[in-house]
């Protein structure tokens, strides 16, 4: 049976067509369905075959295409105020295309370049986030929509509490749980500050820390770095005094522990984490992250401006290393898209951070403020986590299709950030508008009466 006609592909096609039909009528419902269904495991639309693999589009990609189409068809005809970060983001996307053109015009005959289809898939991994962002920023139009986004992520992230009770055979169907657990962490922590009851606060803080615990147990550096960055950012913004108190308390506890049990008590947990990294070949040796970074920089020196082209870092890395990826977002961009591509990406991240902080400082509605606070934590976690892997611009050769299914929510939330900014600006204009008083009129009894709108 053709891979395009097998049951998972037909089911994926049915879901895609159904979401398209609904989103064309009610675009915000398309955003909400995408948020929930994007992480659906196993369903793959079609199959695009290469030499050794066959890969279909996951729900995150097929429905992202749907949202981009719906945005193009249903977008407002009124002039749109672009977000400040859209210019460097567009510049980055154009530079990725320029990198591919440069490779085609000036090929490196020492190596066999990626096939055009593979390079095109890499470019799509750059373009899909833009489509998701544009649709979300356009169609999220109320505070209820913003609140729904936050609540949905937290509630679905809470499903991780049930996974230890489920049979091991169910594991292939539960990947979506960890997608939502990652993004629930900062939004749950932000919501904990707004919760009125102590049990609710404790529950939300527990959800915040679960990815951290899993990262320590499994030796996943990204997870515990992500949570540390998210929590630290939210605490810094929400309660700088609390940071000082917590920091002083931790310092006192560590100092007391060193005095009581000696230096080994402090060093033992660190050695355990390093040992896990060594067991996974992520620290030390030819496949350690330090050596991977040196190999990536050596490749970049051969094509410093536009890089070696989309999806080609894998080919060049395998000439120097047993692993075909630098395991670092910024180095991977540097290798594939050169110094110009990395500069545009860093400019994008910098302007996004500045925009998020500006919106947070100007936001007054409690729901909006909680959302933006959680978003800032999420963004900080993704930026810092980028030193351990390609979690924002995924490498197609490093399982990019699957990775996009795990991290697509960040682009929905970025669109939600801009929607919040628009809602807040609209509310400020309404508050600042002068009161309009109509001229007096005669009442039925013949008396003058003031008429107010």
């Amino acid at each position: 049976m053709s891979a395009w006609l097998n049951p998972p592909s037909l089911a994926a096609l049915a879901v895609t067509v159904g979401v398209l039909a609904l989103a064309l009528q009610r675009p915000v419902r398309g955003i909400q369905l995408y948020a929930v269904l994007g992480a659906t495991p196993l369903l793959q639309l079609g199959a695009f075959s290469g030499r050794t693999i066959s890969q279909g589009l996951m729900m995150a990609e097929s429905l992202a295409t749907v949202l981009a189409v719906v945005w193009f068809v249903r977008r407002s005809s009124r002039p749109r105020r672009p977000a400040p970060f859209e210019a460097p983001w567009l510049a980055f996307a154009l530079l990725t295309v320029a990198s591919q053109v440069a490779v085609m015009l000036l090929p490196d005959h020492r190596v066999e370049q990626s096939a055009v289809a593979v390079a095109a898939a890499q470019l799509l991994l750059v373009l899909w986030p833009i489509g998701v962002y544009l649709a979300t920023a356009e169609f999220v139009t109320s505070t209820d929509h913003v609140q729904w986004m936050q609540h949905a992520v937290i509630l679905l992230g809470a499903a991780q509490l049930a996974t230890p009770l489920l049979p091991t055979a169910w594991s292939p169907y539960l990947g979506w749980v960890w997608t939502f657990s990652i993004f629930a962490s900062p939004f749950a922590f932000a919501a904990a500050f707004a919760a009125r009851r102590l049990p609710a606060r404790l529950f939300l803080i527990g959800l915040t820390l679960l990815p951290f615990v899993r990262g320590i147990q499994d030796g996943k550096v990204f997870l515990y770095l992500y949570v540390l960055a998210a929590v630290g950012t939210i605490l810094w913004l929400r309660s700088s005094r609390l940071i000082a108190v917590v920091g002083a308390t931790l310092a006192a506890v560590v100092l007391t522990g060193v005095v009581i049990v000696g230096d080994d008590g402090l060093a033992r947990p660190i050695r355990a984490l390093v040992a896990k990294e060594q067991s996974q070949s992520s620290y030390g040796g030819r496949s350690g992250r330090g050596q991977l970074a040196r190999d990536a920089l050596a490749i970049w020196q051969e094509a410093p401006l536009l890089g070696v082209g989309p999806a080609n870092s894998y080919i060049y890395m395998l000439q120097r290393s047993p692993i075909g990826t630098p395991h670092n977002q910024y180095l991977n961009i540097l290798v594939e898209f050169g110094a110009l591509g990395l500069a545009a990406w860093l400019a994008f991240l910098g302007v996004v951070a500045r925009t998020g902080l500006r919106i947070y400082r100007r936001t007054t509605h409690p729901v909006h403020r909680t959302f933006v606070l959680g978003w800032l934590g999420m963004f900080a976690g993704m930026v810092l986590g980028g030193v351990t892997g390609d979690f924002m611009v995924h490498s197609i050769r490093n399982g990019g299709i699957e990775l996009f299914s795990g991290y697509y929510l960040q682009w929905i939330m970025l669109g939600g950030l801009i929607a919040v900014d628009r809602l807040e600006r609209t509310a400020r204009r309404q508050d600042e508008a002068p009161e309009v008083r109509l001229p007096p009129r005669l009442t039925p009894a013949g008396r003058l009466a003031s008429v107010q709108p």
Side-chain angles (χ1 to χ4, degrees):
M1 180 185 295
S2 168
W4 286 84
L5 298 177
N6 63 27
S9 180
L10 291 175
L13 178 62
V15 172
T16 302
V17 172
V19 173
L20 175 62
L22 180 60
L24 286 171
Q25 298 297 318
R26 302 187 66 184
V28 72
R29 291 290 181 261
I31 300 295
Q32 292 171 341
L33 285 173
Y34 179 61
V36 174
L37 298 177
T40 303
L42 302 183
L43 295 185
Q44 294 188 21
L45 179 60
F48 303 91
S49 299
R51 292 180 178 177
T52 59
I53 64 170
S54 178
Q55 174 72 66
L57 293 182
M58 308 291 286
M59 286 290 90
E61 291 89 31
S62 60
L63 296 185
T65 307
V66 164
L67 291 186
V69 170
V70 172
W71 173 80
F72 183 79
V73 173
R74 292 292 308 272
R75 70 189 188 280
S76 174
S77 59
R78 298 189 304 272
R80 187 178 67 89
R81 178 181 178 179
F85 54 76
E86 290 181 19
W89 201 5
L90 178 60
F92 173 72
L94 292 175
L95 284 167
T96 63
V97 176
S99 176
Q100 174 63 16
V101 172
V103 168
M104 294 174 67
L105 293 176
L106 299 170
D108 184 350
H109 297 289
R110 297 173 302 169
V111 297
E112 182 180 358
Q113 302 293 326
S114 293
V116 174
V118 176
Q122 182 65 69
L123 295 176
L124 283 174
L125 286 170
V126 173
L127 298 176
W128 273 319
I130 298 176
V132 172
Y133 155 76
L134 289 172
T136 308
E138 176 85 14
F139 301 134
V140 171
T141 56
S142 74
T143 298
D144 288 342
H145 297 161
V146 174
Q147 190 171 47
W148 184 95
M149 292 165 62
Q150 179 168 274
H151 286 175
V153 170
I154 292 174
L155 289 174
L156 290 170
Q160 64 191 300
L161 297 172
T163 53
L165 307 177
L166 300 176
T168 306
W170 291 18
S171 296
Y173 308 97
L174 298 176
W176 63 271
V177 174
W178 306 116
T179 292
F180 287 103
S181 73
I182 290 171
F183 290 94
S185 178
F187 287 97
F189 193 56
F193 286 96
R196 297 180 179 180
R197 296 183 179 180
L198 181 61
R201 286 190 175 185
L202 294 177
F203 174 75
L204 291 168
I205 292 173
L207 285 183
T208 301
L209 297 177
L210 282 176
F212 178 87
V213 174
R214 180 170 174 245
I216 295 294
Q217 289 177 338
D218 297 346
K220 300 296 184 183
V221 181
F222 167 76
L223 288 178
Y224 55 81
L225 280 185
Y226 172 86
V227 175
L228 286 174
V231 169
T233 299
I234 291 171
L235 284 175
W236 170 62
L237 292 168
R238 186 63 175 79
S239 183
S240 56
R241 291 182 180 179
L242 182 60
I243 284 187
V245 172
V246 171
T249 302
L250 288 176
V253 169
V254 170
L255 181 60
T256 303
V258 170
V259 170
I260 295 175
V261 302
D263 296 344
D264 190 62
L266 178 63
R268 191 181 303 116
I270 298 175
R271 285 201 300 268
L273 289 176
V274 172
K276 285 185 178 180
E277 289 294 308
Q278 290 175 326
S279 68
Q280 297 172 0
S281 300
S282 297
Y283 180 79
R286 290 188 61 207
S287 59
R289 295 186 187 274
Q291 184 59 47
L292 292 178
R294 288 188 286 271
D295 293 338
L297 289 173
I299 296 169
W300 165 69
Q301 291 174 3
E302 298 181 11
L305 289 181
L306 290 174
V308 297
N312 286 333
S313 66
Y314 175 83
I315 299 170
Y316 283 85
M317 286 293 294
L318 286 182
Q319 292 182 332
R320 297 168 168 81
S321 167
I323 296 180
T325 172
H327 273 311
N328 182 298
Q329 179 69 90
Y330 310 104
L331 289 176
N332 196 75
I333 290 175
L334 182 67
V335 168
E336 294 199 349
F337 309 123
L340 294 179
L342 181 60
W345 182 252
L346 293 177
F348 164 71
L349 294 181
V351 179
V352 169
R354 188 175 62 193
T355 302
L357 288 171
R358 174 185 58 79
I359 294 173
Y360 177 71
R361 289 167 182 148
R362 295 182 180 181
T363 295
T364 58
H365 194 290
V367 171
H368 297 167
R369 193 167 178 82
T370 298
F371 178 87
V372 178
L373 183 63
W375 180 88
L376 285 165
M378 178 207 75
F379 179 72
M382 295 302 298
V383 170
L384 181 60
V387 301
T388 67
D390 45 319
F391 300 110
M392 298 183 84
V393 181
H394 313 300
S395 172
I396 188 66
R397 297 277 197 170
N398 193 31
I401 297 294
E402 290 82 1
L403 279 177
F404 190 82
S405 295
Y407 297 92
Y408 68 99
L409 285 167
Q410 62 185 307
W411 309 115
I412 296 178
M413 298 307 184
L414 180 59
L417 175 75
I418 298 307
V420 165
D421 187 37
R422 185 180 63 250
L423 291 169
E424 287 285 324
R425 284 189 283 106
T426 301
R428 284 195 295 270
R429 284 196 299 267
Q430 292 174 348
D431 291 341
E432 295 168 359
E435 182 181 2
V436 178
R437 298 182 66 88
L438 299 178
R441 62 177 175 82
L442 287 176
T443 67
R447 295 189 299 271
L448 286 174
S450 172
V451 178
Q452 297 184 5

